[in-house]
Amino acid sequence: MIALQIQPARSEFVNRSYSPPKYFFRFERGEKIPSEKLFSWIASHFNITESEAVIRFNEFIYDLNRQLKEGKEISWYNIGSFQKENTGEIKFEAAKKELQGLDNVIAEKVTRENAEHTMLVGESERTSTQMADILADSSTTRSHYWWVWPLGVLITILIFLG
């Protein structure tokens, strides 16, 4: 059975980009019984009865097996090619096809200066501008009184020495 698979989009951290999803075909080995939907689709597509669709499908599979046993390579356009190996296994080489219109997308970090947003501080909501003002005020208040601690330590040392 041949199944259409999708490789999801990937982020490429080094290139700072995202690669688009890719589609490819995969060959699943083993005996699979086709669903009735397949025969209904074949019948409606070729305007034939479902029993005739089953017959044509079986003839198609028989013809493929015969060609593979003869050592021929079977190529399907945009899907891939089949070939029987020396071990008797069927080798499937999927066609590599990129979908047109899907290119890598460049992802660049956007930094906005002075962008205002709300945040939860304790139990109150504040904006980033308000918090910047509060933090700026507290840092300037501390910087004006830096000399208080050294003066207190110096006075304490003088008291103990005296």
Side-chain angles (χ1 to χ4, degrees), residues 118-134:
T118 59
M119 61 182 80
L120 189 62
V121 180
E123 292 191 16
S124 62
E125 267 192 22
R126 308 257 176 147
T127 64
S128 56
T129 309
Q130 289 173 333
M131 285 307 298
D133 291 342
I134 291 170

Side-chain angles (χ1 to χ4, degrees), residues 1-7 22-29 76-82 91-99:
M1 181 171 86
I2 298 175
L4 179 65
Q5 299 289 315
I6 183 171
Q7 176 186 345
K22 295 179 182 176
Y23 296 91
F24 60 95
F25 290 96
R26 189 181 71 195
F27 178 63
E28 297 176 355
R29 288 170 175 73
W76 286 351
Y77 179 71
N78 281 341
I79 294 177
S81 61
F82 295 92
K91 178 184 168 190
F92 176 70
E93 183 82 24
K96 308 276 187 213
K97 180 159 183 171
E98 301 284 327
L99 294 177

Side-chain angles (χ1 to χ4, degrees), residues 8 10-11 30 33 46 58 80 98 106 115 137-138 154 158:
R10 293 176 299 135
S11 65
I33 299 172
F46 291 107
N58 287 334
E98 301 284 327
I106 303 301
D137 288 344
S138 65
L154 185 64
L158 289 175

Side-chain angles (χ1 to χ4, degrees), residues 7-12 17-22 103-105:
Q7 176 186 345
R10 293 176 299 135
S11 65
E12 297 176 11
S17 65
Y18 288 91
S19 64
K22 295 179 182 176
D103 295 327
N104 285 357
V105 176

Side-chain angles (χ1 to χ4, degrees), residues 4-132:
L4 179 65
Q5 299 289 315
I6 183 171
Q7 176 186 345
R10 293 176 299 135
S11 65
E12 297 176 11
F13 183 74
V14 175
N15 298 334
R16 295 181 181 163
S17 65
Y18 288 91
S19 64
K22 295 179 182 176
Y23 296 91
F24 60 95
F25 290 96
R26 189 181 71 195
F27 178 63
E28 297 176 355
R29 288 170 175 73
E31 296 291 323
K32 302 279 184 181
I33 299 172
S35 72
E36 292 179 26
K37 291 180 183 178
L38 174 65
F39 299 123
S40 298
W41 179 83
I42 292 171
S44 67
H45 187 71
F46 291 107
N47 269 344
I48 56 176
T49 64
E50 284 194 28
S51 59
E52 193 175 339
V54 171
I55 293 169
R56 283 193 184 183
F57 178 79
N58 287 334
E59 287 174 352
F60 173 74
I61 295 299
Y62 177 78
D63 188 45
L64 283 178
N65 282 330
R66 182 183 52 76
Q67 289 180 16
L68 287 172
K69 285 180 184 176
E70 291 173 358
K72 293 181 182 176
E73 181 177 338
I74 300 168
S75 295
W76 286 351
Y77 179 71
N78 281 341
I79 294 177
S81 61
F82 295 92
Q83 192 171 18
K84 196 162 203 166
E85 295 182 331
N86 294 336
T87 60
E89 290 267 329
I90 296 174
K91 178 184 168 190
F92 176 70
E93 183 82 24
K96 308 276 187 213
K97 180 159 183 171
E98 301 284 327
L99 294 177
Q100 295 179 354
L102 297 178
D103 295 327
N104 285 357
V105 176
I106 303 301
E108 292 186 16
K109 186 176 180 179
V110 176
T111 305
R112 292 185 173 86
E113 295 291 326
N114 302 324
E116 187 172 305
H117 59 276
T118 59
M119 61 182 80
L120 189 62
V121 180
E123 292 191 16
S124 62
E125 267 192 22
R126 308 257 176 147
T127 64
S128 56
T129 309
Q130 289 173 333
M131 285 307 298

